[in-house]
Amino acid sequence: MKKQLIIGTRSSPLALWQAEFTKAELSRHFPELDITLKLVKTTGDVLLDSPLSKIGDMGLFTKDIEKHLITKEIDLAVHSLKDVPTATPDGLIITSFTEREDTRDVIISKNGVKLKDLPQNAKMATSSLRRMSQLLSLRPDLDIRDIRGNLNTRFQKFDNGEFDAMMLAYAGVFRLNFSDRISEILPHEVMLPAVGQGALGIETRVDDEQTREIVRILNHSTTEYCCRAERALLRHLQGGCQIPIGAYASFKNGTLTLLAYVGSVDGKIGLHNNITKTGLTSPEQAEAAGIELAEELLKQGADAILSQIRKTR
């Protein structure tokens, strides 16, 4: 058994919360381990002047940490799973999917105003094309504004009066103790989340069996089934973090239900579909369900929507 572990992480408050949480959980199971954190600045942390959709999303928040993992400067990397591309670099693997927090998105607004009650042409801040697409399908009048930076920075911009409202993931808001600022929690019927939203992905080297054995203790089976189904859907659609694709899977007593959305950026076209599979006994079967639903969406016309988005962006 190893005596030391080095965790690689971004330095934002939320990323540090995630890394400290992982450290605490591992220490609880393996008190003899000496666990330290190594902070890594990623491309996504540096390029803050451009919308994410303009600079691409191929590992913006993960690639630089993965380099340290490949060169053995760290033993594991802790990521927000929604930031992790569906294809990991050769030699690396997501070993654990931690138990998921609430996957829903939330509205932060002035005076607690709900989405449907926001004034005409209200300035809504989000950096996500997925959220933009679904928002505009409901409220085409909204003035969508791009917002970058960590959660604290976003709240500061909102408090400075730059926007009427902003949309964030419940998980981050809750973990950093901003829950009292939530105006509305949006149900999945209104807003499907990003693939993997609310879960942490703990990445290790494939050949580091000792670390993988240690980290596997944090894997949450239900979350793994759900996230692998969602990630398989996204991978088959050749999507990414900055493509308007939303998905949410639930898994109970061997039954997986997967909901998905693919839409145009302006929200004028939106495809919804779902699949339910019973008797699942392996995560690979959950992945197969994700691929099957992706195929159904492609038959509905998802390929034409996504091709147009890729062409223009």
Side-chain angles (χ1 to χ4, degrees), residues 294-311:
E295 280 293 325
E296 289 300 315
L297 286 163
L298 290 171
K299 290 176 185 176
Q300 282 181 260
D303 193 41
I305 296 171
L306 298 176
S307 295
Q308 183 60 33
I309 292 169
R310 296 187 192 105
K311 187 184 300 182

Side-chain angles (χ1 to χ4, degrees), residues 48-76:
L48 293 174
D49 296 329
S50 300
L52 290 175
S53 57
K54 296 292 186 184
I55 55 179
D57 66 334
M58 298 306 292
L60 282 176
F61 297 106
T62 60
K63 184 170 58 178
D64 297 287
I65 302 174
E66 288 171 333
K67 289 178 182 177
H68 289 267
L69 189 54
I70 290 168
T71 58
K72 301 184 178 182
E73 296 172 70
I74 60 175
D75 299 293
L76 61 141

Side-chain angles (χ1 to χ4, degrees), residues 267-304:
K268 292 180 179 178
I269 304 173
L271 305 179
H272 291 267
N273 211 326
N274 65 84
I275 193 171
T276 297
K277 291 290 184 180
T278 60
L280 270 62
T281 57
S282 73
E284 288 76 20
Q285 291 173 319
E287 290 186 338
I291 293 170
E292 186 175 337
L293 182 55
E295 280 293 325
E296 289 300 315
L297 286 163
L298 290 171
K299 290 176 185 176
Q300 282 181 260
D303 193 41

Side-chain angles (χ1 to χ4, degrees), residues 34-106:
D34 176 20
I35 305 175
T36 57
L37 303 185
K38 180 179 178 65
L39 307 187
V40 179
K41 183 162 285 191
T42 68
T43 303
D45 297 315
V46 175
L47 299 178
L48 293 174
D49 296 329
S50 300
L52 290 175
S53 57
K54 296 292 186 184
I55 55 179
D57 66 334
M58 298 306 292
L60 282 176
F61 297 106
T62 60
K63 184 170 58 178
D64 297 287
I65 302 174
E66 288 171 333
K67 289 178 182 177
H68 289 267
L69 189 54
I70 290 168
T71 58
K72 301 184 178 182
E73 296 172 70
I74 60 175
D75 299 293
L76 61 141
V78 177
H79 309 292
S80 290
L81 187 62
K82 65 184 179 66
D83 292 334
V84 181
T86 54
T88 54
D90 289 344
L92 302 184
I93 188 171
I94 302 296
T95 296
S96 288
F97 301 80
T98 66
E99 185 171 5
R100 217 170 187 181
E101 186 49 78
D102 191 321
T103 62
R104 293 175 292 176
D105 283 324
V106 300

Side-chain angles (χ1 to χ4, degrees), residues 47-283:
L47 299 178
L48 293 174
D49 296 329
S50 300
L52 290 175
S53 57
K54 296 292 186 184
I55 55 179
D57 66 334
M58 298 306 292
L60 282 176
F61 297 106
T62 60
K63 184 170 58 178
D64 297 287
I65 302 174
E66 288 171 333
K67 289 178 182 177
H68 289 267
L69 189 54
I70 290 168
T71 58
K72 301 184 178 182
E73 296 172 70
I74 60 175
D75 299 293
L76 61 141
V78 177
H79 309 292
S80 290
L81 187 62
K82 65 184 179 66
D83 292 334
V84 181
T86 54
T88 54
D90 289 344
L92 302 184
I93 188 171
I94 302 296
T95 296
S96 288
F97 301 80
T98 66
E99 185 171 5
R100 217 170 187 181
E101 186 49 78
D102 191 321
T103 62
R104 293 175 292 176
D105 283 324
V106 300
I107 296 289
I108 312 293
S109 67
K110 296 177 181 177
N111 303 316
V113 177
K114 296 185 186 306
L115 175 61
K116 67 180 179 62
D117 298 321
L118 286 170
Q120 278 286 110
N121 306 311
K123 296 183 182 68
M124 170 68 78
T126 176
S127 60
S128 163
L129 295 185
R130 168 189 62 83
R131 290 175 178 142
M132 181 190 302
S133 176
Q134 294 180 86
L135 278 169
L136 290 175
S137 71
L138 298 166
R139 289 284 310 267
D141 62 290
L142 291 176
D143 180 4
I144 305 295
R145 301 294 181 94
D146 188 73
I147 187 170
R148 294 290 312 282
N150 62 48
L151 204 60
N152 301 64
T153 300
R154 296 186 188 203
F155 270 101
Q156 186 174 12
K157 290 179 178 180
F158 173 74
D159 290 335
N160 288 341
E162 295 185 30
F163 316 105
D164 298 302
M166 61 180 177
M167 185 173 287
L168 301 167
Y170 175 90
V173 173
F174 172 76
R175 286 165 176 162
L176 291 187
N177 299 314
F178 285 111
S179 298
D180 60 327
R181 303 292 302 275
I182 294 175
S183 303
E184 182 180 11
I185 301 176
L186 298 176
H188 293 134
E189 293 77 17
V190 172
M191 181 69 56
L192 280 180
V195 164
Q197 186 160 303
L200 306 183
I202 303 180
E203 192 174 25
T204 64
R205 290 183 295 278
V206 173
D207 61 2
D208 187 354
E209 295 181 5
Q210 285 193 354
T211 299
R212 291 187 66 192
E213 183 179 351
I214 292 169
V215 168
R216 192 69 182 168
I217 197 74
L218 301 185
N219 191 65
H220 186 253
S221 177
T222 298
T223 300
E224 180 179 5
Y225 273 76
C226 294
C227 291
R228 285 180 64 168
E230 293 171 12
R231 284 170 62 80
L233 175 134
L234 184 64
R235 182 168 56 247
H236 199 71
L237 291 174
Q238 298 180 26
C241 304
Q242 287 306 308
I243 293 290
I245 297 173
Y248 171 69
S250 58
F251 181 69
K252 187 176 182 180
N253 298 327
T255 297
L256 179 99
T257 299
L258 177 60
L259 315 175
Y261 169 87
V262 178
S264 59
V265 174
D266 60 12
K268 292 180 179 178
I269 304 173
L271 305 179
H272 291 267
N273 211 326
N274 65 84
I275 193 171
T276 297
K277 291 290 184 180
T278 60
L280 270 62
T281 57
S282 73

